[in-house]
Amino acid sequence: MPETPETAVALTRKAIESRHSDRGHARALLGAALAKNDQYEPAWRWFAEVAGDDGERLFCLNRAYALKADPATGRARKALGSVSPTPPAEVADLVDPPPPAAEVTGGTGGRRRWSWIAAGAAAMVLLSSLGAWTASGDGQGEPVHVALVAGMTADNALTSAHMERAVRMHLDTVNAAGGVHGHPVELLVYDDADRVDKAVAIAEQIVRENKVLYVVGHGSSDTALAAAPIYQRAKLPAITPSASSPRITDGSDWYFRSMFGNRTQSDFLSAYVSRVLGSKTAAVVYDDDEDGRSGHETFVESFSEFGRVTAAVAISTAADRGKKSVEAAVAELKARAAGAPVVLALKEKNGLDLIDGLRSAGVTAPVLGTSSLSSQTFHAALVERETAKARPGSLTADLFMGTPLAQDSLSGPAQVWADDYAQRYHERPSWQAATARQAVNVGLHAMETAGLGFGEADRAEDRRRVRDSWASLKDRKNSFAALLGPLYFNASGSAQMPVSVVTSDGSRFVSAPTQFTIYDPLSDDALKDDLAQGRVIAVKNRYLSIRQVVATGININEVRDLDTTDGTYFVDFFVWLKYAGDHAAADVQFVNAVKPDLKLGEPLRNVTENGQTYRLHRVADRFKTGLQFHDFPFDHQQLTVLLQNRTRTADQVSYVTDKEILDQDPRDYLRSGADAGADINQVPNWLASSVRFFRQTVGSSDALGDGQGAGAANGIYYSQYAAEISLDRDTLPFLVKNLLPLVLLICVTYLSLFFKPSDGGPPVSMGVTAILSTAVLLNNVTAQLPKISYIVALEWGYYAFILLAATCVLIAMLRKRLVTTNRDSTEQTLARAARIAYPAYLLAVVTVFLVVFGH
């Protein structure tokens, strides 16, 4: 039986699997896929990922975009700027050969024909140059290189893929905006397979190539620890987004970490075991690798402040010994520490087997885990195993995992980023994606601010300046505004950030109702008082404050009466709060309400059971925000409702998104909570496109007049919760209504170019009338806007026509002058050129508006 030939889809899948291990083989597979079907858009897009240079990448992206106008592909094309597309050798047979040269004929007719062709070509070149300039921004300098090193083909391949996607996605945005000081940033990806030997070889290769400005990676503690001395000797700054061992940064002043390390994580988990779970004993199970061993060591050290570790068991990382190690660990924990909370410093596979083993053995003690067990994929694996064993809830109950990113407590920028990531890659980002983005972004920040030379001769000094820039981020006042909050490093180069604790609601990890955060005392007296009251816990050389977490939900009923002149609008909505502890969490205000004293009022429902309180309120009033009209009438407005506690700071209370909101389809946010069949938007001539919910922190790092303040980041910060309604102006009816008179003026002004030169008066009068009429029209159209100091998009269009009308007046006067001086031939040439240039100019203006505002 003959072998079935492979399809383009199958060949593309094979190429994706081999792209990191053998890029040349992946290119060959993609070339074969396209030879079978050159209309298969994913093959072109993946060929762009393995392309050898920007020219090849642009060629593949152009072919992909021609087949499917995907916005992500468009952004990637735009990011490459003015690079000339070059077909890869593997697909050269798919490129049409050039046409033969046209025969040139002599005579006057030929010259006239060529003059028309030259004029048309010049117009096309002008428009093409304008489009290329718009697409490329300012990125004309030599590229700057950044390395990403992670285990692309190891057990953590999915996590590494998330990191690569997040970094590429951010660099696409940066390069589309012109790069860094005009230099595009190019990512070089290396796969160390989470193996020490490969990590060492890759680190030596990066140093030998001497191209990159800094390194993002490695992914695991073992590989980062092996590479650290190499980067240290070469004075090459590196920042890991996921390796947690303190020994990586302790031993090198050139290695940093864009998330918390195991010391910080162990301090938080120790406080959680002691103060939240109320236990004086704990057990630890850890992988026998650098991540696991350092997690075990730091937890034992931290927990000694509160109690003692009664059992510590190592799990072999060898594939043939892992199962027996897990079984032995379960037996030992059941015998020696059956009731004590169990802390896991394990990777996902061993973590899944151990939790299953403990619950199967009847051990019901709470299980805590380090950040490696906090992903949604791990939670999904737990649920899948529960389902397979018909034991719903048996594995996900009483779980508490530390993480840098809780999906229900994203800030506004982080929520936008996560939504964009999900739209582009069709899955939610992991926390490693966020910390990788932070890592590459803090390097870009150094490029922007540290006065780099960007030349090959400047590379050593540029690297030192990047390293010094990171070292200068030493406290909250001197921090970088990163995706997950202020990013700054301790003396050993590890990011100082709180550890969020998430627990399972049965379908996902959500924020636990009690959390801790890093405490910066305002004064010694304040510290003593907070310690005495139990609001603050001392762990080694760190102070943690207890934070009440409030699960918050907002369901919009109606938004109407938008007044663009003063930025106010009416919103009717339900709001509910769920929390454990005292009721100060429900003492909130709406900081952007028109009425400064707007309160929640009496609740529609008020239930407290088993220490958990649920309160439901309905609010209907006017709110205000700062509207932006730079893109008017193509503008998009964000109407917000901001909720904030009246008395408690962000260290004491935090508002996060309730799981009921997370369970909804985002499209349902646009349906009225009071009438499911109605739309929330009741603003005429506007379209509601989305609703987002997120938390944010506001405040100041100043001492606010407190001369006794001793902390490095004094001031007061408050946690806010926001509902943000996105409205898009219904542009087409607006343009039809307001631009029709302008279109008529454009036509009339164009007709003036066909008058005879002897009729100089009418063309001039028509041009002047067009200018004055346009000014009146513009004033009428912009009358609905508030007093603003910037020029809006529509004004640029009107100004472009005023310039055109003024040019027509000058041309009419010049034509008459040429006729009176008997230069009829020149006058006729000018008339023809003006009649061609007029529509070409209009086309160029329309093209620019479509490129800039057509998204």
Side-chain angles (χ1 to χ4, degrees), residues 114 399 720:
W114 278 109
L399 293 183
Q720 292 183 340

Side-chain angles (χ1 to χ4, degrees), residues 384-415:
E384 183 179 357
R385 189 165 292 192
E386 287 178 343
T387 303
K389 295 190 173 185
R391 291 158 43 194
S394 60
L395 304 185
T396 53
D398 287 323
L399 293 183
F400 304 93
M401 306 298 183
T403 182
L405 180 150
Q407 294 283 351
D408 59 349
S409 64
L410 296 177
S411 65
Q415 185 69 59

